[in-house]
Amino acid sequence: MPLDVMRVLFSAAEIAARVEALAGEISRALPAELVMVGLLKGAAVFVADLARALDRAGADPEIEFIRLSSYGLAKESSGAVQLLGDIPGGLTGRPVLLVDDIVDTGRSIAYAAAQLRGRGVSDLWICALLDKPQRREIEIALDFVGFTIGDEFVVGYGTDYAEKYRHLPYIGVVE
Ligand code: IMP
Ligand code: MG
């Protein structure tokens, strides 16, 4: 798939401005010493930028990641989610901000949220860079959303199509 079949949805500058604003919202609402838990691999780029924006907003986040399976090489979720990589330390009593790149059907984030709640976190908030509400199959409340988009398949800024395009600094739509 050549890059020229892609339409830029959010430029690097637009993403940076939104991440900065999101960090402000989060730092005003959450305790400063929160634990960010990102979902690999898609949220890695967003977590890296959001963590540094949170620092500028006065927060003091720890950074953890968990890895879920589900998409494989397909554009559509297989529906079955599994935990492939876990957090070594405990999260008992800690305030946690679960961070993902995109909430689509909601299955991944709902599964991850249930996993984290089962570990006795004191509070759990959910932050997604992109929300596709039209695609939702599982109802789940998102506390912080970067951008709401339609039923479009996007790539870049951490998100992929068959492992390609994660490195793009912008978010594009595959036409
Ligand atoms: P869900 O479980 O259906 O909500 O799927 C969420 C995960 O699928 C996200 O964390 C993304 O990694 C991936 N995903 C969903 N939509 C897209 C897309 O448009 N492009 C790339 N990855 C996507
Ligand atoms: Mg993902």
Side-chain angles (χ1 to χ4, degrees):
M1 188 178 54
L3 284 175
D4 56 21
V5 296
M6 214 173 287
R7 170 168 56 86
V8 175
L9 196 56
F10 302 110
S11 68
E14 286 171 319
I15 297 168
R18 188 65 192 109
V19 170
E20 211 66 28
L22 214 43
E25 288 174 39
I26 292 167
S27 70
R28 284 190 291 275
L30 271 58
E33 296 193 3
L34 62 125
V35 184
M36 303 172 77
V37 176
L39 299 191
L40 290 173
K41 291 187 272 184
V45 174
F46 178 40
V47 167
D49 282 349
L50 184 62
R52 288 172 292 178
L54 281 168
D55 177 75
R56 289 188 288 275
D60 190 12
E62 289 175 34
I63 302 175
E64 295 286 356
F65 288 99
I66 55 179
R67 183 158 186 185
L68 303 181
S69 71
S70 86
Y71 264 62
L73 298 179
K75 270 192 183 179
E76 296 285 317
S77 174
S78 64
V81 183
Q82 273 182 292
L83 192 62
L84 295 182
D86 207 351
I87 301 169
L91 291 173
T92 311
R94 306 293 310 274
V96 170
L97 179 66
L98 177 57
V99 182
D100 204 4
D101 52 354
I102 305 175
V103 177
D104 188 52
T105 65
R107 285 181 198 284
S108 310
I109 206 82
Y111 177 89
Q115 284 281 328
L116 295 176
R117 284 206 177 90
R119 290 159 199 217
V121 301
S122 67
D123 272 299
L124 184 71
W125 296 267
I126 299 176
C127 174
L129 180 64
L130 300 171
D131 181 17
K132 295 197 217 175
Q134 292 166 31
R135 299 261 310 159
R136 203 72 91 252
E137 291 172 15
I138 291 192
E139 212 176 304
I140 178 122
L142 307 180
D143 300 288
F144 304 97
V145 170
F147 303 100
T148 300
I149 62 172
D151 183 4
E152 300 181 292
F153 195 84
V154 298
V155 294
Y157 197 72
T159 70
D160 72 306
Y161 175 52
E163 295 305 327
K164 296 290 188 194
Y165 311 124
R166 291 194 197 274
H167 63 292
L168 297 179
Y170 55 87
I171 293 170
V173 176
V174 180
E175 303 280 12

